[in-house]
Amino acid sequence: MAGTLYIVATPIGNLEDMTYRGIRTLKEVDLIAAEDTRHTRKLLTHFAISTPLVSYYREKETQRAQELVDRIEAGVNVALVSDAGTPGISDPGSILVKRARQASIAIVPIPGPSALAAALSCAGLEPGSFLFIGFAPAKASQRKKLFQSLISSCYPLVFYESPHRIRQFIADAWKVLGNRTVLWAREMTKKYEDIQETDLAALAASIDDQKVRGELVLIVHPGETEFPSHESIEELLSWYRENSDLSMKDVCKKVAADIGVGRSEIYQQALKIWNKV
Ligand code: SAM
């Protein structure tokens, strides 16, 4: 009989956040696949878990995923963990999950900490919708392009960022998106936790002088541009044409996804609008 694949969330800084079910699962499985075995060994030592570890990291994801699927099919129960938080959220995991699903292996989530959920829980978003981006590209030109494509998003944007790139991230976001309210969530669950609501201009001004340390989530609120009432597709397309730098193709993709209408119908209307000018 095939084994089961458990996706186990682990703390994002504070070991007290490890769940009872997570500990029990890590004790009971035959094998733990970890993003970094040295890092996970510290967690296992803390909770007196002696289950064997195997590495499962981004560069070897495809190869390791197949090896793990083969072992699970042979009856081995495997738990996947990442360095912190929930595997698969800006962390390795998706290839293993996809392969396991293709092989009809049972996949069981063991939920728990995630920097995404922790930051959102302090953001007070109404009504709670958001767009999770994760890490913006490291290359400035690609990062700016991403920001441009998000100018007209009516959803708060959730970013992960590392301290050594944060200054440039803030500068580019401010330049492209204009000043916006931001939830700054640094070192969550740790001793020097720093969560505050501020804005891009204030961050750009202060970040020059201070050395930012630790891990960061940023939630960038939507701009103040008025959105059309979405009464007609034509109105929506015209609005995007006038207020964003998106290509016609990208506008069609976005409008189709936003309002749940087939892309070909949107495309016919967009052609009329774009050809008018
Ligand atoms: N899978 C993880 C999760 O569920 O949160 C995220 C992994 S991703 C590689 C690591 C990023 O998550 C960091 O660069 C940072 O943006 C964010 N992060 C992780 N721990 C954090 C913490 N304690 N405080 C703030 N951000 C954190």
Side-chain angles (χ1 to χ4, degrees), residues 12 84 86 89-91 114-115 135 160-161 187-188 215-217:
I12 58 168
T86 302
I89 301 180
S90 298
D91 262 345
S114 171
F135 290 101
Y160 284 170
E161 196 45 277
E187 294 286 83
M188 288 183 291
E215 310 205 74
L216 278 161
V217 178

Side-chain angles (χ1 to χ4, degrees), residues 109-173:
I110 310 291
S114 171
L116 168 65
L120 285 170
S121 70
C122 298
L125 302 179
E126 282 284 350
S129 313
F130 61 89
L131 196 55
F132 176 63
I133 311 294
F135 290 101
K139 235 176 143 188
S141 58
Q142 288 173 8
R143 188 165 55 230
K144 286 187 193 151
K145 213 166 158 197
L146 170 72
F147 291 149
Q148 268 158 8
S149 75
L150 296 167
I151 289 177
S152 52
S153 169
C154 54
Y155 300 109
L157 311 168
V158 187
F159 293 97
Y160 284 170
E161 196 45 277
S162 69
H164 70 273
R165 279 212 304 258
I166 190 64
R167 208 160 62 85
Q168 212 40 57
F169 175 99
I170 298 288
D172 290 344

Side-chain angles (χ1 to χ4, degrees), residues 32-191:
I32 299 171
E35 186 183 4
D36 179 343
T37 50
R38 279 171 310 176
H39 186 98
T40 299
R41 206 173 298 283
K42 290 183 199 149
L43 178 86
L44 301 192
T45 304
H46 183 85
F47 290 106
I49 298 168
S50 54
T51 309
L53 274 169
V54 63
S55 71
Y56 179 82
Y57 53 99
R58 182 85 67 202
E59 293 70 23
K60 282 259 161 105
E61 233 189 314
T62 309
Q63 182 195 328
R64 281 289 148 88
Q66 196 50 53
E67 288 165 12
L68 287 167
V69 164
D70 292 344
R71 294 182 76 168
I72 300 169
E73 282 186 311
V76 173
N77 288 311
V78 173
L80 174 70
V81 297
S82 61
D83 284 354
T86 302
I89 301 180
S90 298
D91 262 345
S94 57
I95 297 179
L96 176 57
V97 166
K98 221 184 279 173
R99 291 272 170 100
R101 198 167 295 295
Q102 281 161 359
S104 301
I105 286 168
I107 305 165
V108 177
I110 310 291
S114 171
L116 168 65
L120 285 170
S121 70
C122 298
L125 302 179
E126 282 284 350
S129 313
F130 61 89
L131 196 55
F132 176 63
I133 311 294
F135 290 101
K139 235 176 143 188
S141 58
Q142 288 173 8
R143 188 165 55 230
K144 286 187 193 151
K145 213 166 158 197
L146 170 72
F147 291 149
Q148 268 158 8
S149 75
L150 296 167
I151 289 177
S152 52
S153 169
C154 54
Y155 300 109
L157 311 168
V158 187
F159 293 97
Y160 284 170
E161 196 45 277
S162 69
H164 70 273
R165 279 212 304 258
I166 190 64
R167 208 160 62 85
Q168 212 40 57
F169 175 99
I170 298 288
D172 290 344
W174 187 30
K175 207 179 292 168
V176 178
L177 299 171
N179 197 18
R180 299 212 180 174
T181 302
V182 173
L183 182 90
W184 164 276
R186 190 176 67 85
E187 294 286 83
M188 288 183 291
T189 78
K190 302 185 196 174
K191 189 171 174 191

